[in-house]
Amino acid sequence: MDARRPEREMRMSGFEAAIAVERIDEGRYEAVLDDGYVIGEALNGGYLMAVLARAAVDASPHEHPISTAATFLRPGRPGPAQLVVDTRKQGRTAATALVSLVQEDRSVVEALITTGTLDAAVQPDWAGPAPDPAVPPLADCTDFRAEKQDAEGFAGRVDMRFDRTTMGWLDGRPSGTPDSRAWFRLRDGHEPDAYSLAVAVDALPPVALNLGTRGWAPTVELTWHMRAVPAPGWLALHGGGRLMSHGWFDEEVEVWDSTGRLVAQSRQIARVGRG
Amino acid sequence: MDARRPEREMRMSGFEAAIAVERIDEGRYEAVLDDGYVIGEALNGGYLMAVLARAAVDASPHEHPISTAATFLRPGRPGPAQLVVDTRKQGRTAATALVSLVQEDRSVVEALITTGTLDAAVQPDWAGPAPDPAVPPLADCTDFRAEKQDAEGFAGRVDMRFDRTTMGWLDGRPSGTPDSRAWFRLRDGHEPDAYSLAVAVDALPPVALNLGTRGWAPTVELTWHMRAVPAPGWLALHGGGRLMSHGWFDEEVEVWDSTGRLVAQSRQIARVGRG
């Protein structure tokens, strides 16, 4: 940590503060987006979705963002943002709202968010097999931040340990398949919840890097579903993809918690980076 | 076919007519929803998404619905409907709109649709392997309509031939895994296009039936991506799922065309049926 940073700012740098929204009026919120979640020039899409989810849950009688379908229109920037939650249906089991994140009078992200309430004690009626291969044991994974000394930005907030076999693109040797595996946790000790899951589903480097593409790959649409209340501890991220064509690629991520349960699943469609 | 049906209505029963939208004003359309796409009491969600896509493409400079993230608020009914296309961004590569389908002044479906243009001649830069197992040869699949004589409703519009090993639930012997495989085409001879793909991704019986659930399973959210311009001929549908818990289950569908290309992929989250 940077010893020059004032104590007050240190306290405010936690994930809870970074995703806080202030209710101004019915369905209207304000937030100050945290520059700690910048990747390259823009805020991470998962971080933006966490802020959207905060507003959606605040405006809902339900506790969890079960389904979030987000379209990214413009890069999000650190600083002030407004959120508009337009409730479209409120039901006993689920409620749906259109949530917009606006900066400088322009919509940055639009999302249809359906909230519901999950119970941490519920056991699944049926669960598919765990992904194979698993993420290697933590001790066998690589903390690239430790190598690169880039504690600023996203890597300063999020602690990821990568299956090195899926990171060959870093050394100019992309694996040729869009698989990516890593452990994930927030550096501030915030245990996994609905909001950190939103970050987790968009935290992996673009899987298309493994196919030889380069550079930032802007997400156009990302839908993720929260499937269970995550247990404390590291989250395992399993990324994959099915097709890269016409400059578009898909990326699927499954998030498994420390008790071996599927807690979130996502698919995004993104533009291939331009190097 | 019913010989008593007037010829004019026969002509109008094609898929093109069923998904037609009439432009009333900028971003405003009218449609008459076709009772041929009813399953049980409500219109098939895929059919509704095809109508939404028609309006979105009409209002866009682009040709194809690349990404459709639809939330289903209420059952759609045959008869008049209004569509509102609220453009959120128009770009050179893609345009995004919020599209609402309204009946009796209430929103039935809301969707964020991103349009773009795909070129049928483009070869993928990278494509994942075809699903394994494949859908069995057409001659080995079962046409349940032929057995049940139910030419009315959805089965009268859509010709599906099922991998019988994934349909054991029909005889009270669910397979225990949420896999489902079938061939798909429209009965009127309409060759695969963006709009029939919207129907295809929501055409399989709920995969949760294979896990022992019963009855109609209402889709809450379905996101699908069009990945290529489909070739003429049968489409192969591969359905699966990962988790059934808290009364929610996910269903993934891949659609492959007759030339062996992935042309669409979807995930939906639905409520478990109540039998």
Side-chain angles (χ1 to χ4, degrees):
Chain A
M1 289 191 188
D2 186 342
R4 292 164 303 182
R5 190 174 285 181
E7 193 197 347
R8 191 193 62 81
E9 192 180 329
M10 290 286 291
R11 277 209 315 278
M12 290 297 287
S13 70
F15 184 63
E16 280 290 340
I19 65 167
V21 297
E22 185 184 357
R23 186 176 182 281
I24 303 302
D25 197 351
E26 186 175 338
R28 301 206 156 256
Y29 297 83
E30 287 184 358
V32 180
L33 303 184
D34 181 349
D35 64 4
Y37 293 89
V38 165
I39 298 183
E41 304 265 303
L43 284 164
N44 170 252
Y47 166 68
L48 296 177
M49 292 194 299
V51 177
L52 290 167
R54 263 290 196 228
V57 168
D58 188 88
S60 163
H62 304 294
E63 285 181 40
H64 299 119
I66 302 288
S67 173
T68 300
T71 299
F72 296 86
L73 303 174
R74 294 173 184 86
R77 308 293 184 195
Q82 296 77 47
L83 293 117
V84 181
V85 181
D86 184 353
T87 299
R88 299 302 173 110
K89 183 187 177 185
Q90 282 216 353
R92 197 172 50 86
T93 307
T96 296
L98 176 72
V99 187
S100 309
L101 188 150
V102 176
Q103 290 189 300
E104 296 177 350
D105 296 326
R106 299 209 304 175
S107 179
V108 171
V109 190
E110 305 263 335
L112 287 161
I113 300 182
T114 294
T115 48
T117 299
L118 302 174
D119 178 346
V122 163
Q123 293 299 310
D125 295 303
W126 182 87
D132 181 27
V135 188
L138 204 54
D140 298 339
C141 287
T142 302
D143 177 1
F144 291 102
R145 172 178 174 260
E147 293 181 4
K148 293 173 63 187
Q149 302 288 326
D150 59 347
E152 294 306 306
F154 193 69
R157 293 286 191 265
V158 170
D159 188 358
M160 293 179 75
R161 311 294 175 89
F162 291 90
D163 177 346
R164 184 124 207 167
T165 67
T166 68
M167 297 292 281
W169 56 269
L170 273 177
D171 307 313
R173 292 189 299 273
S175 67
T177 54
D179 295 342
S180 185
R181 288 179 288 277
W183 298 103
F184 171 101
R185 69 176 178 186
L186 295 176
R187 290 197 188 275
D188 72 349
H190 182 99
E191 291 291 2
D193 64 6
Y195 309 101
S196 66
L197 290 179
V199 180
V201 296
D202 194 35
L204 289 168
V207 293
L209 295 170
N210 282 317
L211 302 174
T213 70
R214 292 179 190 197
W216 187 54
T219 301
V220 173
E221 198 277 337
L222 189 156
T223 298
W224 77 279
H225 297 128
M226 179 178 179
R227 304 306 308 278
V229 178
W234 287 89
L235 297 169
L237 310 186
H238 295 262
R242 298 290 285 145
L243 184 68
M244 183 168 70
S245 189
H246 295 85
W248 298 96
F249 72 96
D250 60 296
E251 173 170 331
E252 285 78 57
V253 176
E254 286 193 357
V255 184
W256 290 67
D257 77 2
S258 61
T259 68
R261 293 194 307 169
L262 176 64
V263 291
Q265 54 190 162
S266 71
R267 175 177 292 135
Q268 64 171 274
I269 191 156
R271 295 296 296 169
V272 172
R274 298 222 181 107
Chain B
M1 291 189 187
D2 186 342
R4 291 164 303 181
R5 189 175 286 181
E7 193 196 348
R8 191 192 62 79
E9 192 180 329
M10 290 287 292
R11 278 206 317 274
M12 291 296 286
S13 69
F15 183 65
E16 280 290 341
I19 64 168
V21 297
E22 185 183 357
R23 187 177 181 281
I24 304 300
D25 198 350
E26 187 174 338
R28 302 207 155 256
Y29 297 83
E30 288 183 357
V32 180
L33 304 184
D34 182 348
D35 64 5
Y37 293 88
V38 166
I39 298 182
E41 304 264 304
L43 284 164
N44 169 253
Y47 166 67
L48 296 177
M49 293 194 299
V51 177
L52 290 167
R54 262 290 195 228
V57 168
D58 188 89
S60 163
H62 304 294
E63 284 180 43
H64 299 118
I66 303 288
S67 173
T68 300
T71 299
F72 296 86
L73 303 174
R74 294 173 185 87
R77 308 294 184 193
Q82 296 77 48
L83 292 118
V84 181
V85 181
D86 185 354
T87 299
R88 299 300 173 111
K89 182 185 177 186
Q90 282 216 354
R92 198 172 49 86
T93 305
T96 297
L98 176 71
V99 187
S100 309
L101 188 149
V102 176
Q103 290 189 299
E104 296 177 349
D105 295 327
R106 299 210 304 176
S107 179
V108 171
V109 189
E110 304 263 334
L112 287 162
I113 300 181
T114 295
T115 49
T117 299
L118 303 174
D119 177 345
V122 163
Q123 293 299 311
D125 296 303
W126 181 87
D132 182 25
V135 188
L138 204 53
D140 297 339
C141 288
T142 301
D143 178 0
F144 291 101
R145 171 177 174 261
E147 292 180 5
K148 292 174 63 188
Q149 303 288 327
D150 59 347
E152 294 305 307
F154 194 68
R157 294 285 192 264
V158 170
D159 188 358
M160 293 179 76
R161 311 294 174 89
F162 291 89
D163 178 345
R164 184 126 207 167
T165 67
T166 68
M167 297 293 279
W169 56 271
L170 273 177
D171 307 314
R173 292 190 299 273
S175 67
T177 54
D179 296 342
S180 185
R181 288 179 288 277
W183 297 103
F184 171 100
R185 68 175 178 186
L186 295 175
R187 289 195 189 278
D188 73 349
H190 182 98
E191 291 291 1
D193 64 8
Y195 308 101
S196 65
L197 290 179
V199 180
V201 296
D202 194 34
L204 289 168
V207 294
L209 296 170
N210 282 316
L211 301 175
T213 70
R214 295 180 186 195
W216 187 53
T219 302
V220 172
E221 197 277 338
L222 190 155
T223 298
W224 77 277
H225 297 129
M226 180 178 179
R227 304 306 309 278
V229 178
W234 288 89
L235 296 169
L237 310 186
H238 295 261
R242 296 291 283 145
L243 184 67
M244 183 167 72
S245 188
H246 296 84
W248 297 96
F249 72 95
D250 59 295
E251 173 170 332
E252 285 78 58
V253 177
E254 286 193 357
V255 184
W256 290 67
D257 77 1
S258 61
T259 68
R261 293 195 306 171
L262 175 64
V263 291
Q265 53 190 163
S266 71
R267 175 178 291 136
Q268 64 173 274
I269 191 156
R271 294 296 296 168
V272 172
R274 298 221 181 108

